[in-house]
Amino acid sequence: MKAYRTLKLLNRNEIDTIHNASLDILEKVGMKVPNETCLRLFADAGADVDYKTQVVKAPSSLIVECVKKIPKRYEVRPYDRKKAMTVNDGKLKGGMTVQYFINDYFKKERREGTTDDVLRAIAVGDSDDMDHISHVTDFVYPCDEPLPVRDIYGWKLGWTYAKKPIFAVYMFSINSVRYILEMAKVVAGGEEELRQRKIIDYNLESTSPLSFSSHALEICLEFSRYNLPLSNSPMVMAGASGPVTLAGSLALCNAEVLMAAALIYLMNPNIPYGYAGIPYIMDMRTTLCSFGAPEQVLFSLARIQLARYYGFAAKAEVGANDPVLEDIDPGDSSLPDFQGGFEKGVRSAMALAAGAESVGGFGMVGADQGVSLDQLVIDNEMMSYMTRVRKGFEINEETLALDLIKEIGIGGSFLGARHTLRHLRQEHWFPKIFNRDRWETWRMKGGKDTLDRAHVQLEKILKDHYPPEPMLDKDQIERLDCIYREAKRALIPKK
Amino acid sequence: MKGQSTDVRAILEGIAQAVVDLDEGEIIRSVKKAIDMKISPLEVIENGLAKGLREVGRRFEVGQYFLPELVTAANLMKTGTDMLNPYIGRESTRRTCMPRVLMGTVKGDIHDIGKNIVSILLEANGFEVIDLGFDVPTDIIVENVKEHAPDIVGLSALLTVTLEEMRNVVDALKKAGLRERVKVMIGGAPTSQRFADEIGADAYGIDANDAVEKAKALMVAKGGGVK
């Protein structure tokens, strides 16, 4: 725990300044809340509500009170109870991203995902080889299923096969959400069990600057009926949907995160909320919303401090709608090359030093450009490395080994000492795919780079774990099938 | 510009340069002067304002200018054309020779930065753009196709959720019997050539520059072409 929570970018005064700026934005400008029920909730709580423009101006006292009281810690209990996970418990976590495209680093091509891609991803992410992935996703959309029900099918796949908690699958509309929550009840074992086990969450993703979308609010209200975790990760783009200056975009992003917390608390005071917002730099030449820019490192450090300031686990959006994650979007590089490794490495190392609880976006290619299972294997390796750094080292009589140093004396060797054997595997980290061969040995083994070696490991994992076995019993599977059939009948337009 | 006096040419050059320099004061002064000198408003637009915007577009393409400069230049062009518009009505020749593009971000989607860039670059490249904005319902698009008879309809979406709306627009155009009259072009993060083929769109633009090239190609295919 040594190399942890020590790095601080902002001083207390600067954090207060950002916080007050956010409150000022919410009080003077407010946010657009396009939903009658939500507007009424704000009005009843004493906010200034304009029903015509659907704009809510919230007094600072209301925001502060709600943010203070909203639950910030919760446990997710997936099918395999051993893989349960507590958000905000200080333990390091890593999670997968979910994207539209799947990329092939070797051919440098990408295509839409399929059901089979989802199954392969779950098989890999769920495996014990991916020991730093605490929660999985579908990784890609199963585009072989019809669009209006694709999200429902995605959750069905995830719940059927994933042993680890499954997050961030995506939800398209209130129509599909109703079917997804019906499935959730079957998977959890009932309505009350769903409330307890929290196997699904939703991220509002307000549209910056300062607007919620009506479909997200509808989904949010539906989730609030079951005490399910919610979060909001606006993607303020500095210079486009927020001020070009970092401080301004940070204050704006923070305002939207706080407003969502207040709204959710007013809906239902038992809903856990995650601090999940980070602004982005938009590259003004390509319009790419950058994940790897140096400014993202700064945003990330500031955001972690803000989250802690409010008592959250400094969770963060990571390119996917994942509220339990902490930091680290991947970089902007299209390949796992030097740029990619550098961006990810710098960002994650600094975030962890600042006290990030969780790292995410595993398997992502570039900035939201798709996914790669090879990348997932590489990211797990990076996380394994980071975990070792975060662990630090103990200083005590046994680890100082003064007696041993005296015993071995001048010119001796520690190789054969029992002390070496006893501590080696805890003290030293061993890579699975990073290279530690000398040049000639490396050449002899085929001169493989990180990607090549990751691919070898990936093939092995797939051989061992694919196709995945269903985790649900026959009755549950049948009930999910039935709900899905109903959804298809209701939601797919007749030709 | 044959037969133009040096004065006129200098004014037009000055306006084009002022757009490139993003100099609002100079644009207002020079356009006023051009109006006083009774230079044809269409001439002022084509060889002054639009010429400047084309240069800004070129600088954007080569990475010399960034997006804020492009947007500012487009706003300045609008400042200029707004000043000129009252004088255009009296002339018989509107900008009818220009190919017309109807642009819109489909229903359910409010992410329109990309669509706006495409609109600006299309304008800079000699297209007349009618921009319907974002979150545009399908029937509004169909109505506007009827009303404005564009050569091309450009549709954008960022959210995967709204992809299906693009298909709806194409289908609605077919149903309204308008599909043969207009080319459909799509773009946006989750779109692809494969998706364009699937929904029966005529072209897919990878990015803003590609969209302009595709629009030009569509016009050539239509037998029109851009000057």
Side-chain angles (χ1 to χ4, degrees):
Chain A
M1 288 294 187
K2 284 274 162 72
Y4 175 50
R5 276 203 203 194
T6 50
L7 183 60
K8 287 189 167 59
L9 178 71
L10 310 177
N11 62 35
R12 180 60 193 235
N13 187 30
E14 289 170 323
I15 298 176
D16 283 337
T17 306
I18 299 282
H19 168 69
N20 289 329
S22 300
L23 293 180
D24 193 41
I25 293 167
L26 295 178
E27 205 168 278
K28 307 273 165 51
V29 188
M31 272 187 86
K32 185 166 178 170
V33 183
N35 181 291
E36 234 8 77
T37 312
C38 297
L39 288 174
R40 239 174 291 122
L41 284 171
F42 271 119
D44 292 347
D48 173 5
V49 173
D50 184 330
Y51 285 93
K52 211 167 139 215
T53 59
Q54 301 180 313
V55 169
V56 175
K57 292 179 184 165
S60 301
S61 55
L62 175 67
I63 300 288
V64 169
E65 164 117 352
C66 293
V67 171
K68 195 174 153 199
K69 286 186 178 163
I70 199 164
K72 300 168 179 74
R73 183 173 169 147
Y74 63 98
E75 192 187 26
V76 184
R77 282 183 270 148
Y79 192 84
D80 184 345
R81 298 294 166 103
K82 284 192 298 261
K83 306 255 193 290
M85 193 180 88
T86 302
V87 173
N88 206 357
D89 66 354
K91 287 195 194 124
L92 199 54
K93 300 165 184 75
M96 287 157 69
T97 182
V98 64
Q99 298 281 324
Y100 190 72
F101 291 106
I102 185 157
N103 305 42
D104 184 327
Y105 278 147
F106 295 95
K107 290 187 193 148
K108 294 184 184 165
E109 283 169 3
R110 72 175 189 182
R111 57 174 173 78
E112 287 169 338
T114 63
T115 299
D116 191 51
D117 292 321
V118 174
L119 294 181
R120 285 161 59 93
I122 291 175
V124 175
D126 238 2
S127 72
D128 290 335
D129 301 276
M130 296 292 100
D131 45 354
H132 294 278
I133 293 176
S134 50
H135 46 291
V136 299
T137 69
D138 273 8
F139 214 38
V140 273
Y141 296 8
C143 290
D144 41 351
E145 288 296 304
L147 187 59
V149 293
R150 201 171 284 166
D151 48 349
I152 306 173
Y153 193 71
W155 280 100
K156 181 172 174 291
L157 284 176
W159 279 323
T160 306
Y161 293 101
K163 292 193 272 295
K164 294 177 183 174
I166 182 146
F167 282 101
V169 176
Y170 47 82
M171 281 158 264
F172 292 159
S173 71
I174 184 66
N175 296 329
S176 45
V177 162
R178 293 206 175 101
Y179 291 98
I180 291 167
L181 290 178
E182 279 313 302
M183 285 188 181
K185 285 180 208 164
V186 172
V187 175
E191 193 171 319
E192 194 43 43
E193 285 79 359
L194 176 61
R195 277 195 183 84
Q196 300 302 324
R197 288 179 55 188
K198 314 222 179 291
I199 55 170
I200 182 169
D201 63 271
Y202 181 67
N203 187 318
L204 270 118
E205 291 194 283
S206 57
T207 308
S208 307
L210 301 169
S211 193
F212 290 108
S213 71
S214 58
H215 90 274
L217 293 176
E218 281 174 8
I219 294 176
C220 214
L221 283 165
E222 193 69 18
F223 266 65
S224 75
R225 294 173 51 203
Y226 303 100
N227 296 3
L228 291 167
L230 293 165
S231 60
N232 180 32
S233 59
M235 285 181 85
V236 173
M237 296 191 286
S241 54
V244 74
T245 40
L246 272 58
S249 271
L250 194 63
L252 181 63
C253 176
N254 188 49
E256 295 185 20
V257 172
L258 298 184
M259 186 72 162
L263 172 59
I264 289 160
Y265 184 77
L266 294 174
M267 278 181 191
N268 174 348
N270 298 312
I271 301 174
Y273 184 72
Y275 189 101
I278 185 170
Y280 294 82
I281 288 298
M282 187 176 83
D283 185 284
M284 290 294 185
R285 297 160 303 173
T286 63
T287 72
L288 183 88
C289 186
S290 173
F291 289 2
E295 293 82 6
Q296 294 317 114
V297 176
L298 296 170
F299 276 139
S300 147
L301 294 176
R303 176 265 302 271
I304 290 164
Q305 285 188 267
L306 277 169
R308 293 242 179 264
Y309 174 79
Y310 298 115
F312 292 99
K315 299 151 211 156
E317 186 273 343
V318 266
N321 314 336
D322 195 331
V324 305
L325 297 186
E326 176 103 59
D327 208 68
I328 305 141
D329 295 305
D332 296 331
S333 179
S334 299
L335 288 172
D337 54 8
F338 179 80
Q339 181 193 340
F342 182 82
E343 288 169 336
K344 281 185 183 228
V346 169
R347 177 91 182 265
S348 58
M350 293 186 78
L352 291 176
E357 177 180 303
S358 174
V359 177
F362 280 13
M364 194 190 294
V365 172
D368 269 352
Q369 297 305 298
V371 288
S372 149
L373 284 175
D374 295 305
Q375 184 69 56
L376 188 69
V377 172
I378 295 173
D379 290 345
N380 184 68
E381 180 86 346
M382 178 187 79
M383 196 57 182
S384 173
Y385 184 120
M386 292 297 169
T387 305
R388 175 64 193 92
V389 174
R390 193 176 187 260
K391 204 174 91 184
F393 59 89
E394 293 277 317
I395 302 176
N396 56 36
E397 203 182 323
E398 173 71 7
T399 60
L400 274 172
L402 268 183
D403 289 346
L404 184 66
I405 294 168
K406 287 171 190 161
E407 186 194 319
I408 303 276
I410 297 167
S413 166
F414 294 84
L415 271 176
R418 300 305 297 181
H419 183 271
T420 305
L421 270 183
R422 202 157 57 236
H423 292 288
L424 175 64
R425 280 173 173 76
Q426 289 78 50
E427 287 283 297
H428 295 197
W429 176 76
F430 292 92
K432 281 184 191 150
I433 59 169
F434 286 178
N435 179 57
R436 288 212 181 145
D437 283 327
R438 288 184 177 75
W439 184 269
E440 282 304 331
T441 321
W442 171 73
R443 284 282 295 137
M444 214 168 57
K445 287 181 181 170
K448 290 185 164 70
D449 64 12
T450 313
L451 175 58
D452 292 330
R453 287 191 302 272
H455 194 69
V456 172
Q457 201 201 354
L458 173 65
E459 293 288 307
K460 191 183 164 300
I461 298 170
L462 282 169
K463 202 168 139 268
D464 294 345
H465 299 283
Y466 173 84
E469 294 289 326
M471 294 301 298
L472 302 178
D473 61 38
K474 216 171 133 250
D475 172 59
Q476 283 175 307
I477 291 174
E478 267 170 26
R479 286 165 71 195
L480 292 195
D481 283 340
C482 177
I483 294 171
Y484 187 56
R485 270 198 307 276
E486 270 174 46
K488 283 216 276 201
R489 256 198 306 274
L491 302 181
I492 298 173
K494 314 257 174 325
K495 285 280 159 188
Chain B
M1 287 215 258
K2 266 185 300 184
Q4 274 176 345
S5 71
T6 338
D7 276 2
V8 172
R9 227 173 303 164
I11 287 278
L12 295 178
E13 279 302 322
I15 291 172
Q17 190 57 45
V19 172
V20 176
D21 295 341
L22 310 176
D23 185 342
E24 186 172 18
E26 183 56 35
I27 289 170
I28 293 171
R29 272 192 299 279
S30 298
V31 170
K32 244 183 219 146
K33 208 188 277 175
I35 292 169
D36 290 344
M37 287 168 72
K38 302 212 160 40
I39 305 174
S40 146
L42 295 176
E43 188 73 37
V44 178
I45 292 172
E46 279 315 307
N47 294 315
L49 296 166
K51 191 180 169 196
L53 188 60
R54 273 196 294 280
E55 173 58 17
V56 171
R58 191 195 64 79
R59 291 187 184 193
F60 177 70
E61 276 169 48
V62 298
Q64 205 177 336
Y65 269 13
F66 294 168
L67 193 51
E69 278 115 4
L70 185 70
V71 172
T72 307
N75 289 341
L76 291 177
M77 167 142 177
K78 186 151 188 317
T79 305
T81 47
D82 283 351
M83 290 171 69
L84 291 161
N85 273 338
Y87 302 93
I88 295 179
R90 279 180 250 135
E91 293 185 37
S92 53
T93 45
R94 285 188 69 90
R95 300 170 86 195
T96 43
C97 51
M98 294 164 74
R100 184 178 281 178
V101 186
L102 192 74
M103 294 286 289
T105 300
V106 296
K107 185 168 173 286
D109 218 326
I110 59 172
H111 301 85
D112 67 340
I113 292 175
K115 184 261 301 164
N116 294 344
I117 299 171
V118 174
S119 293
I120 294 168
L121 290 185
L122 282 173
E123 264 184 349
N125 282 279
F127 287 83
E128 181 192 355
V129 175
I130 300 167
D131 194 334
L132 300 179
F134 53 82
D135 194 12
V136 188
T138 299
D139 52 334
I140 299 289
I141 295 175
V142 172
E143 265 172 42
N144 276 278
V145 169
K146 274 184 203 154
E147 189 187 331
H148 297 290
D151 299 285
I152 300 171
V153 172
L155 304 172
S156 90
L158 176 82
L159 303 176
T160 322
V161 193
T162 53
L163 272 181
E164 206 60 17
E165 277 304 316
M166 291 189 165
R167 188 198 309 272
N168 294 344
V169 174
V170 175
D171 291 348
L173 287 172
K174 268 184 212 157
K175 214 181 247 172
L178 298 163
R179 185 65 187 88
E180 300 306 313
R181 275 194 254 160
V182 67
K183 298 284 180 190
V184 177
M185 206 166 84
I186 66 165
T191 59
S192 60
Q193 185 60 51
R194 197 204 60 70
F195 184 71
D197 296 341
E198 185 191 314
I199 65 168
D202 300 295
Y204 154 68
I206 297 168
D207 57 20
N209 294 324
D210 188 50
V212 172
E213 291 313 310
K214 295 281 165 65
K216 283 180 183 170
L218 285 179
M219 290 314 297
V220 171
K222 256 193 136 188
V226 187
K227 64 172 173 57

